[in-house]
Structures are given as structure tokens and as C-alpha cells.
Amino acid sequence: MKNEKKQNGWKKPLRRLHVAGIFMAVLFAAIRAVCADDARDKIFAARAQAAFERAQAQYLLQTNNPVLGWQFARACYDWADWATNKSERAVIAKAGMAACRRVILFTNCAAAHYYMGLNMGQLAQSEALHGLKLVREMEHEWLTAIELDPRFDSAGPERSLGLLYRDAPGWPLSIGNRHKAQEHLQNAASLAPDDPENMLNLAESYLKWGDQPDARDELAALDALWPKAQKNLTGETWERDWYDWSKRRDVVRQKLNAP
């Protein structure tokens, strides 16, 4: 009996050490993941800043060039994602909006209205009180872009409008509307079926609405598309997208597999 007690007495500390070892391994893995994310974010931010500076320099040399104008607006939108505070985000977004307004003076192109709406979205994040008013203006810009070229940027106007209707507050506060959201997100997937973003948005939206069967269908379609898209959408330009899409797809899968 005494020997058994002694053995059991040793087992308890050993169990504690084993559990502590597992905990520390998980903790170190989490720390490594966070450090990797931070390092990756720094790379993406540096690339966005460099692209912004290049686009700005080219645009300032030819401010009457519509293509350089909307390309600068696109760079503003991307760079605003990495702003360190709301004031900086607002300044960058307003620069993009100003470029779009100038482009529209010369040509009424889909790109200018599309990036006008996207930069308005950045501005809305930095100016909460002004945000609800901007929602209506964003809706107008993307509806105009759809009329001009719904396929631009892999059906970007349809995609953006669908997400706006999905995420905005509903009536009477704002324009949020599930039916419209679903219509425009499905349009985006139909117009650009080779873009993983469009199927991923649908899968996330169905999950948000509690429609698991349709979310599973969209995830299955996304999984089928994934290898082909990885071969076609390559290079530094797509690295941030793939990183984002992979994380989001994993979240959708985990939620669908959860009891």
C-alpha cells in the first residue's frame, strides 16, 4: 500500500508537468503565429506604401490622365488599410476620392466610381458620425459602376454593393437588406466565377444568415476552384489576397464543422 501511494504521489506531479508542457507548447505556437502575422503584415504594408508612392508620383505628373487617376485612387484605398490612426486613414481616403472626382470630369468610367465608393468606405471607418451619410453615396457610386461595367475588378462593383447591403444597418437606420445583398453577391459570383473572393463572400454571408446548406455548397464550390485559382492568380500582387482568403476559408470550415 505504501509503495502504491508513493507511485501515485509521483504520478500527480508528472501529470501536472505533462499538462504544463502541452500548455507551453500551445502558447509558444501561438506566439510564433502572432510574430509571423506581424512580420507578414509589415511586408504587406511596405508593399502598399511603395505602390501608393509610385502611383502618386505618376499621377502628379499627369493629373489629367484618367487611368493614372483611378490607379492612384486604387493605391489610396489599399494604403489606407494600413493607416496607423483614423486621421491618417481619412487623409489618404480623401486623396483617393479627389482623384476619382477629377477622373469623372474627363470620363465617366466604372473604375472611378468603383474606387470612389471604396475610398468612401475607408473614410466612413474614420468618421463614424459621417458614416451613415456616406453609405448612401457609396451605394450610388457602385450602382453607377455596375451600369458602366459590372465586370470591372472581377465584378468588384457587384461584390462591394452586396457587402454594403449585407453589413449596413437595416431600415429605418440605413440601407441594409438581405435580399439585395444576396442578389448582388450572387451576381458577382456569376460574372466572375474564377475569383475565390466572390464564392467566399457568399459562403460567409450564408453562414451569417444561418443558412448552413447553402454555405456548404459555396464552400464546396470554393474548394473545387481553389487549385485552379492558385495556378492563375500568382505573384506578389496576390499574396495578401491568398493569405486573407485562406484564413477566412478555414473559419468558414470550422464553423460548419462545429457541433
Side-chain angles (χ1 to χ4, degrees), residues 27-185:
L27 178 60
F28 287 137
I31 292 171
R32 284 195 297 270
V34 170
C35 291
D37 285 347
D38 287 344
R40 194 176 288 109
D41 284 349
K42 288 179 181 178
I43 292 171
F44 294 153
R47 289 175 182 172
Q49 182 178 7
F52 169 81
E53 290 172 353
R54 283 195 303 270
Q56 184 183 47
Q58 292 171 346
Y59 173 60
L60 291 177
L61 290 174
Q62 300 182 60
T63 55
N64 292 343
N65 185 316
V67 175
L68 293 179
W70 69 253
Q71 288 178 346
F72 173 59
R74 177 181 62 192
C76 289
Y77 168 70
D78 290 337
W79 177 224
D81 273 344
W82 303 102
T84 55
N85 55 67
K86 291 182 178 180
S87 297
E88 184 181 1
R89 184 189 293 266
V91 169
I92 297 168
K94 287 177 180 177
M97 291 164 61
C100 289
R101 291 192 186 97
R102 189 165 184 82
V103 171
I104 294 168
L105 290 176
F106 296 97
T107 176
N108 194 32
C109 68
H113 290 284
Y114 174 58
Y115 288 114
M116 174 74 86
L118 288 178
N119 278 290
M120 283 179 174
Q122 296 284 21
L123 183 60
Q125 292 184 53
S126 61
E127 298 181 2
L129 294 177
H130 195 44
L132 286 177
K133 180 186 176 183
L134 284 170
V135 164
R136 288 286 184 186
E137 295 181 33
M138 291 158 66
E139 178 188 33
H140 170 74
E141 295 299 332
W142 288 329
L143 284 171
T144 304
I146 288 170
E147 290 177 5
L148 294 168
D149 184 3
R151 286 183 168 82
F152 181 77
D153 193 31
S154 298
E158 290 278 11
R159 178 173 60 247
S160 300
L161 190 58
L163 294 175
L164 183 68
Y165 286 134
R166 186 193 73 181
D167 297 335
W171 187 89
L173 292 177
S174 190
I175 63 172
N177 184 299
R178 175 178 170 175
H179 175 73
K180 289 183 178 180
Q182 185 171 338
E183 176 187 354
H184 287 284
L185 291 175

Side-chain angles (χ1 to χ4, degrees), residues 144-246:
T144 304
I146 288 170
E147 290 177 5
L148 294 168
D149 184 3
R151 286 183 168 82
F152 181 77
D153 193 31
S154 298
E158 290 278 11
R159 178 173 60 247
S160 300
L161 190 58
L163 294 175
L164 183 68
Y165 286 134
R166 186 193 73 181
D167 297 335
W171 187 89
L173 292 177
S174 190
I175 63 172
N177 184 299
R178 175 178 170 175
H179 175 73
K180 289 183 178 180
Q182 185 171 338
E183 176 187 354
H184 287 284
L185 291 175
Q186 287 176 341
N187 286 347
S190 297
L191 290 168
D194 293 334
D195 190 325
E197 175 78 20
N198 293 330
M199 288 183 185
L200 185 54
N201 285 334
L202 273 172
E204 291 171 333
S205 299
Y206 286 130
L207 263 181
K208 183 174 183 175
W209 298 326
D211 186 348
Q212 289 210 354
D214 280 337
R216 289 185 187 280
D217 288 345
E218 292 301 330
L219 180 60
L222 178 62
D223 288 340
L225 169 65
W226 203 262
K228 177 184 175 183
Q230 283 185 315
K231 291 179 181 178
N232 294 334
L233 308 178
T234 59
E236 187 177 289
T237 305
W238 293 98
E239 282 183 13
R240 186 188 175 196
D241 291 305
W242 280 114
Y243 176 67
D244 176 57
W245 294 338
S246 297

